[in-house]
Amino acid sequence: MTERLKEDQPIFIQIAELIETSIVEETYLAHDQVPSTNEFAKHYQINPATAAKGTNLLVDQGILYKKRGVGMFVTDQAKTIIMKKRQERFYDYFVLPLVEEARMIQLPKEQLFKWIEEELNDED
Amino acid sequence: MKIEVNHLTKTFGKETALKQLSLELSNQKIIGLLGQNGAGKTTLLRLLAGHFLPSSGEIKISDQPVFDNYTITKDICLIQESNNFYQKFKVGEILKLSAIFYPNWNADEANQLLEVFKLKKKQKVHALSKGMLSALGIIVGIASHAPLTIFDEPYIGLDASARSTFYDLLLASYQEDPRMIILSTHLIDEVSKLFEEVVILHKGELLLQEQADELAAKHQLVSGSKQAVDQAIAGKNVIYQSELLGKKSAIIFDDQVEVTPELTVSRASLQELFVYLTKEEATQIGYSN
């Protein structure tokens, strides 16, 4: 989680997304403790209240749970919730800009499909 | 900690530094006080610390007047840009005096901070460089643990890495002992992420007071084709716009545009917002371009 924070997006949302990504990548598994708001504050030089807002967002969505006086932990269903959420926005975030750019530079449809297929096969 | 400022005016001769300023600050948080040179920041902070009396209006801290009132001033530590300490004292003597004045003084922390900033107790104030003087101010400010700790441009002469160290130390000390910290600075990009609340003064008046998160939600940076952006921002409160290569960007403040697929909406930085809310346009003074 050493990515840099961007200027053009609220910081608490970026904190929440960094945690989400590390859960999907399985750096953090169910019932693992995630870094404390103080650790986030220190690492990113941000106000601890901002970091807390990010983790609280994930508590509201059922991705993290609080143990009083101990910290924040990953819930059982966290990964499922995050993947569902990210799949829902995949079209807007990735497909639309991809197609828009492809159309602008008149990239042949066949080429686009071929590349995607190649990449998908590469993963196996 | 609660600060109430009501219709505060301060004049120096013919100059009006603060005009009928009303403001309320409460709870333990890190507050950013921003404003152009001459906006009245230092005057406000010195009034809060009880350095002098207002021309009119009142200031109450924890429901008490602050001027000449040790029951309150012992809880306030103001570190200014310069002239914080008498020239003839040694660093060690400054720390001893601070320990007497501030009831929450943390001597261990002060000693550790001396090491961080490589200061020696036997050094004399008048022999310190600008950077070392700033470091001493920062040490006293942090170790005071005053319920109201104010830093007014505390880092003249400090290099970027020492400033970053200051932010780390401030955050660490704040997390251990949350208190109200007011930080006034021109280096907005560096510190904006530390702020929980932002206050902007402009020409002696309050321009804006907002939670940092809400400030982000209160504006939009809209970009896209010139036509799409122009259509979206028509009649809106636009604080900045610029176009190039058929594309246009605009910042809408305290207002919302209807988001369409042709538009990209993102956020401006606090520094950009500050600049566009307060600056005089170069075109206003007769340059055509």
Side-chain angles (χ1 to χ4, degrees):
Chain A
M1 276 193 280
T2 46
E3 265 180 73
R4 295 181 63 82
L5 297 178
K6 295 185 270 295
E7 281 288 344
D8 59 357
Q9 244 186 45
I11 296 161
F12 73 97
I13 290 180
Q14 295 185 61
I15 296 293
E17 296 204 338
L18 286 165
I19 299 173
E20 284 184 0
T21 300
S22 61
I23 293 171
V24 175
E25 288 173 340
E26 300 193 333
T27 314
Y28 290 93
L29 301 170
H31 308 290
D32 278 354
Q33 183 170 11
V34 298
S36 68
T37 50
N38 284 357
E39 286 172 280
F40 278 110
K42 186 163 180 261
H43 185 86
Y44 289 111
Q45 240 176 32
I46 57 175
N47 192 297
T50 312
K53 204 171 166 189
T55 49
N56 286 333
L57 193 68
L58 297 181
V59 172
D60 293 343
Q61 295 176 8
I63 292 165
L64 297 180
Y65 64 95
K66 277 183 201 175
K67 268 196 213 167
R68 260 192 104 85
V70 188
M72 301 268 197
F73 297 82
V74 179
T75 62
D76 275 318
Q77 49 317 359
K79 195 178 165 185
T80 321
I81 296 172
I82 299 163
M83 295 216 299
K84 183 163 177 282
K85 192 165 77 172
R86 297 246 177 140
Q87 281 171 12
E88 277 165 6
R89 70 178 200 202
F90 185 82
Y91 181 81
D92 284 345
Y93 278 46
F94 298 98
V95 179
L96 279 182
L98 178 87
V99 172
E100 199 180 318
E101 174 75 8
R103 197 171 276 152
M104 191 173 78
I105 61 170
Q106 296 178 8
L107 186 75
K109 210 193 274 182
E110 299 70 33
Q111 179 70 70
L112 183 62
F113 291 161
K114 194 172 151 246
W115 276 336
I116 291 175
E117 209 158 296
E118 271 174 24
E119 275 302 313
L120 282 172
N121 291 338
D122 243 20
E123 276 296 293
D124 301 332
Chain B
M1 182 52 59
K2 187 172 171 197
I3 299 174
E4 291 162 282
V5 170
N6 287 313
H7 303 289
L8 193 67
T9 296
K10 180 70 189 176
T11 54
F12 297 100
K14 284 180 187 162
E15 294 296 320
T16 304
L18 293 174
K19 262 181 257 172
Q20 293 281 325
L21 177 74
S22 294
L23 178 68
E24 207 176 298
L25 299 169
S26 54
N27 299 332
Q28 296 139 349
K29 53 177 97 148
I30 303 177
I31 300 165
L33 176 65
L34 313 178
Q36 294 173 313
N37 295 323
K41 302 182 299 289
T42 296
T43 304
L44 172 64
L45 296 177
R46 294 191 64 190
L47 282 164
L48 289 180
H51 283 194
F52 40 64
L53 280 164
S55 306
S56 65
E58 65 166 7
I59 304 173
K60 279 186 173 171
I61 296 186
S62 303
D63 294 319
Q64 294 202 49
V66 63
F67 185 76
D68 199 18
N69 182 2
Y70 181 66
T71 51
I72 287 299
T73 53
K74 70 177 170 42
D75 288 339
I76 303 169
C77 179
L78 167 63
I79 300 298
Q80 296 190 263
E81 188 175 330
S82 54
N83 297 323
N84 286 300
F85 310 108
Y86 284 108
Q87 297 285 328
K88 61 177 181 178
F89 285 136
K90 289 178 183 160
V91 170
E93 290 169 327
I94 299 284
L95 299 189
K96 271 187 200 156
L97 282 171
S98 303
I100 296 167
F101 192 85
Y102 299 111
N104 300 342
W105 181 258
N106 185 333
D108 291 339
E109 194 177 20
N111 287 330
Q112 287 167 11
L113 292 172
L114 277 188
E115 277 184 38
V116 171
F117 288 107
K118 300 184 179 63
L119 286 178
K120 300 265 184 313
K121 284 190 179 171
K122 57 178 193 303
Q123 285 172 300
K124 284 205 168 138
V125 168
H126 70 77
L128 297 180
S129 68
K130 269 185 191 162
M132 291 158 109
L133 272 174
S134 294
L136 182 58
I138 284 165
I139 292 167
V140 171
I142 291 178
S144 76
H145 283 259
L148 172 57
T149 303
I150 305 171
F151 293 101
D152 185 11
E153 285 290 351
Y155 30 44
I156 193 170
L158 276 194
D159 59 63
S161 87
R163 293 200 299 271
S164 183
T165 303
F166 166 57
Y167 306 141
D168 286 342
L169 294 167
L170 189 69
L171 271 178
S173 183
Y174 170 74
Q175 283 169 18
E176 215 169 274
D177 172 25
R179 47 212 194 259
M180 185 187 280
I181 295 173
I182 301 179
L183 182 54
S184 168
T185 180
H186 293 306
L187 301 175
I188 305 172
D189 267 346
E190 282 188 11
V191 289
S192 61
K193 293 200 280 281
L194 263 58
F195 300 151
E196 189 171 344
E197 187 170 326
V198 176
V199 174
I200 301 181
L201 292 187
H202 192 54
K203 297 178 178 168
E205 294 174 279
L206 183 68
L207 179 72
L208 177 153
Q209 179 183 10
E210 203 74 55
Q211 300 300 306
D213 288 338
E214 280 156 35
L215 192 57
K218 213 177 174 174
H219 78 279
Q220 291 171 313
L221 169 57
V222 187
S223 34
S225 71
K226 179 181 173 344
Q227 195 192 1
V229 172
D230 278 339
Q231 204 167 20
I233 65 174
K236 303 289 180 187
N237 184 25
V238 180
I239 59 168
Y240 164 82
Q241 50 186 319
S242 178
E243 54 182 278
L244 193 71
L245 299 170
K247 304 280 184 199
K248 181 162 182 167
S249 293
I251 299 177
I252 313 297
F253 193 76
D254 224 349
D255 212 338
Q256 292 273 323
V257 303
E258 204 168 317
V259 181
T260 60
E262 299 93 74
L263 295 175
T264 313
V265 177
S266 61
R267 305 282 177 209
S269 68
L270 179 60
Q271 170 136 327
E272 289 173 298
L273 285 181
F274 170 74
V275 168
Y276 300 137
L277 285 169
T278 60
K279 89 166 172 184
E280 316 283 339
E281 286 295 335
T283 49
Q284 283 174 11
I285 54 170
Y287 296 111
S288 60
N289 206 347

